[in-house]
Amino acid sequence: MLQLHRLGTVCVIITSCIYIGAAYRIPSPTIEVTEPSGFKLSIPDDNGIVLFAFHGKINENLAQNEMGNLHEDIQEPVDGKWTYENRTVRLKKGDKIHYWIYVQHGRLAFRLDNQIFEVTEFNKPTLIPIPEPESIPDRTQCEYSRTTIKGGEHVCKNTLVFEEKFDDLKNDVWQKEVKFPKDTEDAEFCSYQEGQENSFVRNGTLFIVPTLQVNAEGFNETVIRRGKIDFGRRCTPSTIINNDIECVRQAGGRQIIPPVVSAQLTTKNSFKFKYGKIVVRAKLPTGDWLFPQIFLKSSQNVFGDDNFVNGLMRVCFIHGNEELTSVDGREIDGHYLRGMLVLDRGHTNRERWMKTESSQRHWGSDFHEYTLTWSEEMITMAVDGKIYAHFREKFCDPPESCGIAHAAAWEAGLPPMAPFDQDVHIVLGVGVGGLGDFPEDCVTTKGHKKPWKNTDPRAERNFYMDKDSWYPTWNGEEAALQVDWVRVYAL
């Protein structure tokens, strides 16, 4: 029921109050609007408060759990008060502040939702009355979680915050990427496109299937070697700067049109989170030079845009080859599952943050549950409930120890998990070849060498020229990434 309260010249509309827990109750906030600009909202300090958060908008309705364009987490009280202050917003009489506030008291979380404050005067603190809850026994307990979603929304510990069962392919959840891989990262030998033949749902399972570009309508060998693809407005580049690299490809000389078409699905426009546990039940692709893309990617690019400067968390990774041996004789084929943090293009540094779990069967022969748990202190990977990888803070300490030029940025007074301290989104796809994941001179079945060098500008062309060797190993949908479900839990 909508309740209208009048306090002198201030109008306050309260539509709902949510109290989570029983021992503590959020006290009445005080709001003061100042001239010529600014306002502040505060609550009295209490011995158990460890965090206070404000989320608001001016003259716009605020959806439940929406972050709002005015928001901040307050870590400490000042002069006995927990205060949110904005000194720049200009308000006039009649303007309305739509807001909700969040308080962590001990290990429990409390919220005051759906608040509206109407400005009627300036430079006068106004106490906002909060009605008593109607039913104390129905209060729901919520243990505090450091997990946040959608750019700052607080959630309760151990709750399921995202689930995809793939009953269908929801366009409002999953964006299909349309782009070429960047040559400043792994430069996979494929393009990512939105065609139904490359990504579809059937019987509750997502399929991502690589196909040959030459088999697509309007293509032949001449087009692969001399043609041009311009994705135009369909393109979904990672940056608006120099996006021709990801949107346009002109073949000629050493460069060809990427010979493989794959798909990559992402939640970058619908769901992102910071700290949590992701579990994916999937069957990984099998076939020479294929690899699964099940990873968490930074949504903000805080440290830049190239060379994995923001880091990449691979939930799981394999080489799809049935047989593959490194130049020093180590087996590195699909019988070896890898948990991996990608922080640089170089293969040496890639192995630095990689852990392995072996199996007598190819990991792509069956469905498995792959888990990545990400906290402020550690990242762990597990398969079917068995933890096999731990990665702790300070990935390059000191920065010069790992030979990564951009590592110094992670250590410059930033949290110890940097660069893994930013919001991420989920990416699902299938990659092919490229310049980062397959070491030089590795050998596949019957002594057949990898057909390209990672430093050769003709690498993609040389890979394609060896098609008669690798394409027969792509056995229809066995070459697909098949995903049963995806779940994300708060920690």
Side-chain angles (χ1 to χ4, degrees), residues 303 306-311 343-344 349 352-353 394-419:
F303 300 103
D306 295 323
N307 201 24
F308 299 108
V309 65
N310 296 287
L343 293 159
D344 187 49
N349 277 323
R352 182 191 298 264
W353 299 291
K394 299 287 186 182
F395 300 106
C396 280
D397 188 15
E400 58 270 17
S401 66
C402 57
I404 299 178
H406 51 252
W410 308 333
E411 303 297 323
L414 296 168
M417 284 299 288

Side-chain angles (χ1 to χ4, degrees), residues 33 35 58 73 117 131 144 176 186 188 244 288 322 346 381 391 468:
V33 181
E35 288 186 307
I58 305 301
D73 287 358
F117 175 85
Y144 171 75
K176 292 186 177 183
D186 280 345
E188 308 94 89
D244 277 359
D288 286 359
E322 180 63 35
M381 284 93 160
F391 302 99
D468 290 344

Side-chain angles (χ1 to χ4, degrees), residues 92-106:
K92 60 183 183 299
K93 289 184 179 181
D95 283 343
K96 294 179 180 179
I97 305 172
H98 298 249
Y99 69 95
W100 59 274
I101 59 178
Y102 171 99
V103 176
Q104 181 198 344
H105 189 277

Side-chain angles (χ1 to χ4, degrees), residues 275 374-379 391-395 416-417:
Y275 307 127
W374 169 38
S375 73
E376 294 165 300
E377 298 84 25
M378 183 188 305
I379 297 170
F391 302 99
R392 297 186 182 275
E393 58 192 37
K394 299 287 186 182
F395 300 106
M417 284 299 288

Side-chain angles (χ1 to χ4, degrees), residues 270-281:
S270 62
F271 175 78
K272 53 189 174 183
F273 70 102
K274 179 178 176 182
Y275 307 127
K277 180 173 74 173
I278 180 171
V279 188
V280 181
R281 185 173 188 271

Side-chain angles (χ1 to χ4, degrees), residues 227-295:
K228 179 180 180 180
I229 293 180
D230 186 341
F231 289 134
R233 294 186 177 181
R234 296 162 52 211
C235 192
T236 58
S238 59
T239 174
I240 59 174
I241 301 173
N242 296 326
N243 60 19
D244 277 359
I245 294 172
E246 295 178 272
C247 298
V248 181
R249 182 68 61 88
Q250 174 68 63
R254 297 172 176 176
Q255 189 171 64
I256 64 172
I257 298 295
V260 178
V261 181
S262 188
Q264 208 177 70
L265 277 61
T266 170
T267 66
K268 66 182 180 182
N269 293 329
S270 62
F271 175 78
K272 53 189 174 183
F273 70 102
K274 179 178 176 182
Y275 307 127
K277 180 173 74 173
I278 180 171
V279 188
V280 181
R281 185 173 188 271
K283 185 174 182 292
L284 307 184
T286 63
D288 286 359
W289 316 123
L290 298 174
F291 60 90
Q293 295 174 323
I294 304 178
F295 56 75

